[in-house]
Amino acid sequence: MTDTTHVRRRRYTADQVGAGAVAWRMLAGAVVLLIFVAPYLLMFVSSLKSKSEILQVPPTFLPTEWHPENYVTMWSTPETPLVQNLISTIVIAVFATLLVLAVALPAAYYTARFRFPGRLVFLFLVIVTQMLQPAVLTSGLFREFQFLGISDTWLAMILINAAFNLSFAVWIMHSFFAGVPKEIDEAAQLDGAGRWTVLLRINLPLVWPGIVTAIVFTFVSCWNEFAASLVILSTAGNQPLSVALTKFVGQYATSWQYVFGISIVAIVPVVILFMLIEKRLVGGLTAGSVK
């Protein structure tokens, strides 16, 4: 018993990393983290400066006078109704993401599970649409939405964002559905489960990592969309933050303290989404391995 314990202790000690190697790894990780975080840190610090101090030469990193009130006054500036812009961004991004999931989920499942005439052509056409960008088609989309009477509305931007993110969501979830053995579906159907039950209760936990990837990609793409919103949405209150940000950049003067502040506000929801999704992603991977 003593010999076994001694061997185990010696093996554990031999596998341990030295304190010097740990210190170097931590230092390297801190340097990499600083490189990625530095632009956002500089943007946050600059948002707490006055406009004159941001433009002064030579520049300073920390402000001589802190102005946290910039985050309060920017919501009531005459350039644009920023509160409505934030609401527009959230509504467009959330509902476009939900629409993409509602369409892409059954489409990806069906193309992965069934062989039908023209299946490969359909998948090829789906991926071809990914090559098109809203900026290229904005003029045609503007005329089309004018004809339908939904130009300058949230509905128009929800449809545009959903259409241009649908192909990626279908492809990424198709690959995950294709990786699930068909025998699982057949066993569930023998127990009396219908197609929707098999999709929602059997396959969904197994392909959760793919769904999370589609959610993140779609939401971030919709949140950052600019070109189509600039053309389709003419009313200031309907425009998202990406367009509202340009209102603070003028020909002769730019309110940089508000530009940096709005940029920080626009980043926060995306960071929160990643923090929430990360746990779900790990849970989905675990569920898939167990099932």
Side-chain angles (χ1 to χ4, degrees):
M1 187 71 176
T2 306
D3 295 338
T4 306
T5 305
H6 178 69
V7 171
R8 288 180 178 175
R9 285 181 179 176
R10 184 172 57 187
R11 181 181 301 172
Y12 175 75
T13 305
D15 291 341
Q16 283 186 333
V17 180
V22 172
W24 277 109
R25 292 179 183 179
M26 293 180 63
L27 179 61
V31 171
V32 173
L33 177 64
L34 181 62
I35 292 174
F36 283 97
V37 173
Y40 302 100
L41 181 61
L42 179 61
M43 189 163 54
F44 174 71
V45 172
S46 299
S47 68
L48 299 174
K49 294 181 179 180
S50 63
K51 179 179 178 180
S52 57
E53 188 174 359
I54 293 175
L55 299 176
Q56 76 176 15
V57 180
T60 58
F61 178 71
L62 294 176
T64 55
E65 292 184 7
W66 296 84
H67 293 274
E69 69 274 8
N70 289 341
Y71 283 92
V72 178
T73 57
M74 71 181 187
W75 298 102
S76 57
T77 55
E79 284 82 358
T80 181
L82 204 58
V83 176
Q84 297 180 33
N85 298 140
L86 178 59
I87 295 174
S88 298
T89 308
I90 294 173
V91 170
I92 293 172
V94 169
F95 281 94
T97 302
L98 292 177
L99 181 58
V100 167
L101 287 179
V103 177
L105 198 61
Y109 175 75
Y110 191 85
T111 55
R113 279 290 181 266
F114 300 98
R115 299 294 185 266
F116 54 90
R119 174 176 170 272
L120 295 179
V121 175
F122 171 78
L123 292 174
F124 176 75
L125 292 176
V126 167
I127 200 64
V128 165
T129 59
Q130 187 69 23
M131 303 177 185
L132 302 175
Q133 295 298 320
V136 181
L137 305 175
T138 48
S139 58
L141 291 172
F142 179 74
R143 294 290 300 273
E144 181 178 353
F145 289 137
Q146 271 192 327
F147 176 78
L148 295 174
I150 59 173
S151 180
D152 193 23
T153 62
W154 289 344
L155 177 59
M157 290 311 305
I158 290 172
L159 294 176
I160 289 176
N161 282 291
F164 284 96
N165 289 282
L166 184 61
S167 58
F168 176 83
V170 170
W171 264 100
I172 191 68
M173 287 192 286
H174 168 84
S175 62
F176 276 82
F177 278 120
V180 177
K182 293 182 179 180
E183 289 76 12
I184 295 179
D185 293 16
E186 295 171 355
Q189 288 174 345
L190 288 176
D191 291 337
R195 282 293 179 187
W196 283 104
T197 303
V198 172
L199 170 61
L200 298 177
R201 300 188 60 181
I202 306 299
N203 283 268
L204 212 60
L206 301 178
V207 300
W208 186 242
I211 297 174
V212 168
T213 304
I215 291 174
V216 171
F217 178 88
T218 303
F219 183 84
V220 173
S221 178
C222 297
W223 187 271
N224 296 328
E225 201 284 322
F226 173 76
S229 300
L230 182 63
V231 176
I232 302 297
L233 301 177
S234 56
T235 303
N238 292 339
Q239 294 172 339
L241 286 176
S242 57
V243 178
L245 189 64
T246 62
K247 304 295 182 63
F248 295 91
V249 181
Q251 183 176 1
Y252 301 105
T254 300
S255 301
W256 289 111
Q257 73 277 21
Y258 296 143
V259 171
F260 291 132
I262 296 171
S263 300
I264 292 294
V265 171
I267 290 172
V268 169
V270 178
V271 174
I272 293 175
L273 173 66
F274 272 98
M275 292 174 63
L276 296 175
I277 287 296
E278 183 183 8
K279 296 180 181 179
R280 298 287 185 179
L281 179 60
V282 175
L285 289 171
T286 306
S289 63
V290 172
K291 293 179 181 297

